[in-house]
Amino acid sequence: MRIEANGIYLEVEESGPVDGVPLILIRGQGSQLVHWPEELNAGFAAAGFRTIAFDNRDVGLSQRCPAPDVPDSADEILAALGAGADLPKPYGIEDMVGDITGLMDALGLERAHFFGISMGGAVLQQLCIDQPDRVLSATIVMTACRPFTERAGEGREALLALTRYLLVRDVTRPAYLDGQIAEHGLWGSPGYPMPEADIRAMAERAWARGVDAAGKNRQVLAILHAPDRRPGLRQLDLPCLVIHGRQDTLIPLEMGEEIAAHIPGSEFQAIEGMGHIITPKLAPVMVDLVRDFIIRRT
């Protein structure tokens, strides 16, 4: 269904009992709600959660959010940076927090449990800092709390190199499908592999819903402008579970450990064999960890 939230529309899907305790899933950069394994949705539903998944702004079937005079093509952004311009900002993760609270308002939800991965984990941290009264618990997965640009190093050339690495260009359907398979090879979960045929089928569903470089690049720019969340995390008084894969080749394990170290009373779980993708085989592990944590801590 399509929901009006924060002045834009978001595509939303629900599963589980309508009277269940709400659990909102927040995806990572460039991905869509169809990238959640069905085993994850079914597992949360079986555990009694009213599970709410949505496409973030700028991906899938949700609204595209271009900003006036802000470039969103890789070539234009890199040319501007190379000419000495500041990194453009179409919106920030604080706006994506507003999307989530707007979604909750539209659904009549005062509070909810949250499960956020990668960029979604960064947005979830900001939600906990800005709107703690809306959060029953937060499961923060495969992400970091320090500014992403710190990983680039000092200087404009370092920022330019990082931005060049993250930005994407429009591709054909075959190239997109092959790229999704390649991503599993680079960043997947080796202890919980996903068959190539299943990866391709998931990618086909995502392509049919809407894949474009401009929207993904605007999300990249939002991430690069994300603030240092460490000071805010130190002030939290919320049940927080931090999960990270020991084989995460995109965001190192110590980045997850750092999040847990800054949140008072949080719990940290490192998963052997887990990389930067939640696969169908990994989904039951996530469900068990979240369910058990929520039972114990809330």
Side-chain angles (χ1 to χ4, degrees):
M1 58 183 171
R2 180 170 287 182
I3 296 291
E4 296 288 337
N6 196 25
I8 62 173
Y9 63 81
L10 301 173
E11 184 69 15
V12 182
E13 288 187 4
E14 294 193 35
S15 57
V18 295
D19 59 348
V21 178
L23 171 64
I24 299 177
L25 312 181
I26 314 174
R27 285 294 313 176
Q29 187 271 328
S31 65
Q32 306 177 29
L33 64 84
V34 295
H35 288 104
W36 293 117
E38 181 54 38
E39 291 79 358
L40 190 78
N41 294 325
F44 284 138
F49 292 105
R50 176 188 176 188
T51 306
I52 300 161
F54 67 101
D55 287 332
N56 286 308
R57 61 165 66 197
D58 264 333
V59 297
L61 297 177
S62 286
Q63 184 167 323
R64 299 300 185 265
C65 298
D69 302 319
V70 176
D72 49 28
S73 79
D75 291 337
E76 289 176 342
I77 293 168
L78 293 172
L81 286 178
D86 292 334
L87 189 71
K89 181 181 179 181
Y91 50 79
I93 64 170
E94 67 277 5
D95 298 297
M96 303 180 84
V97 168
D99 296 347
I100 295 169
T101 56
L103 172 62
M104 294 174 71
D105 292 342
L107 296 176
L109 302 176
E110 185 63 32
R111 304 177 76 193
H113 297 284
F114 290 90
F115 181 93
I117 68 169
S118 200
M119 179 190 75
V123 174
L124 177 51
Q125 292 170 58
Q126 199 64 48
L127 173 67
C128 291
I129 293 168
D130 294 345
Q131 301 283 346
D133 292 343
R134 308 302 297 265
V135 181
L136 291 170
S137 75
T139 300
I140 302 166
V141 187
M142 59 176 77
T143 189
C145 58
R146 62 177 58 205
F148 201 87
T149 50
E150 282 194 9
R151 297 180 62 184
E154 296 293 331
R156 176 162 292 272
E157 286 303 317
L159 176 61
L160 190 61
L162 174 64
T163 308
R164 184 181 296 110
Y165 173 73
L166 294 173
L167 294 174
V168 296
R169 292 171 173 80
D170 284 319
V171 295
T172 63
R173 180 178 181 274
Y176 175 75
L177 301 184
D178 290 343
Q180 291 285 285
I181 293 168
E183 285 187 10
H184 274 257
L186 291 171
W187 305 318
S189 295
Y192 304 87
M194 187 172 178
E196 182 174 316
D198 294 344
I199 300 170
R200 188 172 294 274
M202 180 179 286
E204 287 173 344
R205 291 195 297 274
W207 179 267
R209 299 173 82 250
V211 173
D212 61 276
K216 290 183 177 183
N217 287 338
R218 288 190 291 269
Q219 287 188 350
V220 167
L221 296 174
I223 295 169
L224 292 177
H225 278 282
D228 189 341
R229 294 173 294 283
R230 288 171 290 186
L233 294 180
R234 297 188 195 107
Q235 307 305 314
L236 292 185
D237 184 19
L238 293 169
C240 294
L241 172 63
V242 182
I243 302 175
H244 215 99
R246 291 191 180 277
Q247 282 70 44
D248 193 325
T249 55
L250 187 62
I251 299 181
L253 178 67
E254 55 265 27
M255 296 290 96
E257 294 173 330
E258 182 178 48
I259 297 171
H262 281 79
I263 302 176
S266 65
E267 298 183 20
F268 179 74
Q269 185 70 52
I271 307 297
E272 186 67 35
M274 173 180 165
H276 201 74
I277 297 176
I278 297 179
T279 63
K281 290 182 178 179
L282 181 57
V285 177
M286 298 290 104
V287 171
D288 288 345
L289 286 172
V290 173
R291 181 194 58 219
D292 293 347
F293 176 77
I294 288 175
I295 289 173
R296 288 188 294 102
R297 295 292 299 273
T298 66

